Amino acid sequence: MGADAAPATPVLEVENLSLSFGGIRALNGVSFAVQPGSITSVIGPNGAGKTSLFNSISGFYKSTGTVRVDGKPIDHLHPPERAKLGLARSFQNIALFRGMTVLDNIKLGRHAHMKTGLLDALFYFGRARREEVELRREVEERIIDFLEIDHIRKAPVASLPYGLQKRVELARALAMRPRLLMLDEPVAGMNREETEDMARFILDVREEWGVPVLMVEHDMGMVMDISDHVVVLNFGQMIAQGTPREVQANPEVAAAYLGTGDVADLRRRVAAETRLPETREVA
Ligand SMILES: Nc1ncnc2c1ncn2[C@@H]1O[C@H](COP(=O)(O)OP(=O)(O)OP(=O)(O)O)[C@@H](O)[C@H]1O
């Protein structure tokens, strides 16, 4: 980028976000941005405010401050309107329809964008059918292929191992054609192989679909390995943000995680948690 090139508008901007539950300040003046094409992670010890932040961005919690998508404030919008705008998210605990098939779960994601309502569908059957065909093609040929879940498309979600269920959740979020993919602990409870697969899919979402990712994750090894930008929360406040290398070098981050400001210890812990092959060298 040239020195005077205008910076790109962030996909998401969070400005001075605060939220209280009774006397508890879950978020206290949090500000950061997600740049186009980036993987941004939010980390922090238990109770730091990560889920509160996600719920505030999605509109489930009413916080003060401003949230902008592509430069436009969305504070007045309810969760479904935010989803329609392209804020797609997965949840900490899998939120799929367990009795339904993989394919039907994925189709539900696409419904956020269907232009045809029920009445429309009765009167304008042609358009509805075209949308259905387009939906099927997109779902079957792109998302299912991409996530390598062709062999389970007709399986009920409840019959699948945990790692595959999380992948189906990702598929459903992708079916929304998201502007930003928000992943809440995408590898929590996963074994090594499942974690590696999910990390690869998250990187591919960015590479192949051009969709930026905002994720909350406890697995520091995975976060440090695939993130471009890391935001660190502690007791509702943002205590650091920067590249993985920068936040690992921050004594305040080490103190939040280890109770000491020992950066070397934090790096050792991150290295121990790193489970991906070809891990980047931590200086
Ligand atoms: N619905 C709620 N009612 C009351 N207090 C809440 C509620 N949700 C969160 N809190 C409190 O707000 C603070 C932030 O919680 P939050 O769940 O956002 O943290 P977190 O970083 O996501 O934690 P974890 O890593 O354990 O998921 C905590 O003190 C928590 O007890």
Side-chain angles (χ1 to χ4, degrees):
M1 209 201 306
D4 14 280
T9 305
V11 177
L12 178 80
E13 286 167 282
V14 169
E15 197 180 303
N16 205 18
L17 221 58
S18 294
L19 172 73
S20 294
F21 295 106
I24 297 170
R25 270 238 132 154
L27 295 172
N28 193 355
V30 174
S31 302
F32 66 93
V34 177
Q35 300 301 334
S38 76
I39 296 177
T40 299
S41 294
V42 180
I43 64 170
N46 291 113
K50 303 180 296 295
T51 303
S52 299
L53 175 66
F54 253 41
N55 283 338
S56 297
I57 294 169
S58 313
F60 293 117
Y61 288 166
K62 201 84 202 107
S63 47
T64 60
T66 302
V67 178
R68 289 189 204 88
V69 172
D70 292 323
K72 295 192 192 80
I74 60 162
D75 307 300
H76 58 293
L77 299 180
H78 295 297
E81 295 163 323
R82 295 186 191 204
K84 222 167 189 167
L85 214 60
L87 292 183
R89 71 174 281 190
S90 73
F91 290 84
Q92 205 165 343
N93 301 308
I94 291 172
L96 294 167
F97 291 93
R98 294 173 56 77
M100 285 167 58
T101 66
V102 166
L103 186 59
D104 286 340
N105 267 283
I106 294 170
K107 279 182 176 177
L108 282 176
R110 183 69 179 88
H111 275 284
H113 273 280
M114 294 280 270
K115 287 180 203 70
T116 314
L118 185 60
L119 263 183
D120 278 350
L122 290 173
F123 289 109
Y124 301 104
F125 186 64
R127 192 170 88 192
R129 228 181 62 158
R130 272 199 307 280
E131 283 198 351
E132 180 63 25
V133 169
E134 185 204 330
L135 160 65
R136 253 190 226 148
R137 190 176 49 80
E138 181 186 327
V139 166
E140 292 178 10
E141 288 172 23
R142 204 150 171 230
I143 300 174
I144 289 184
D145 260 16
F146 169 68
L147 288 169
E148 299 165 13
I149 48 179
D150 190 32
H151 58 298
I152 52 161
R153 71 167 69 203
K154 291 192 179 136
V157 163
S159 69
L160 301 174
Y162 182 76
L164 274 180
Q165 290 192 22
K166 289 295 264 191
R167 216 186 291 173
V168 175
E169 230 195 344
L170 178 57
R172 189 177 62 180
L174 267 182
M176 286 177 64
R177 292 191 185 155
R179 182 74 187 102
L180 176 69
L181 190 60
M182 297 173 61
L183 303 175
D184 196 350
E185 300 202 19
V187 302
M190 285 192 177
N191 63 31
R192 180 194 161 90
E193 198 187 336
E194 290 169 338
T195 298
E196 286 173 8
D197 282 348
M198 183 55 84
R200 181 168 53 88
F201 285 126
I202 293 171
L203 282 169
D204 286 351
V205 163
R206 191 257 304 267
E207 294 304 320
E208 288 181 30
W209 294 64
V211 176
V213 175
L214 175 66
M215 82 176 160
V216 163
E217 183 50 64
H218 276 287
D219 187 322
M220 296 250 279
M222 191 262 216
V223 163
M224 297 303 172
D225 226 46
I226 72 169
S227 307
D228 302 299
H229 192 74
V230 180
V231 173
V232 189
L233 296 184
N234 197 22
F235 294 115
Q237 273 183 315
M238 194 186 69
I239 58 168
Q241 66 170 323
T243 63
R245 199 177 277 252
E246 284 164 354
V247 300
Q248 284 177 74
N250 186 318
E252 231 185 304
V253 178
Y257 273 95
L258 304 166
T260 72
D262 188 341
V263 167
D265 241 15
L266 177 67
R267 284 172 171 165
R268 273 194 291 278
R269 180 178 152 184
V270 171
E273 284 185 16
T274 299
R275 292 179 289 187
L276 301 174
E278 297 168 34
T279 301
R280 278 200 301 270
E281 183 70 13
V282 178

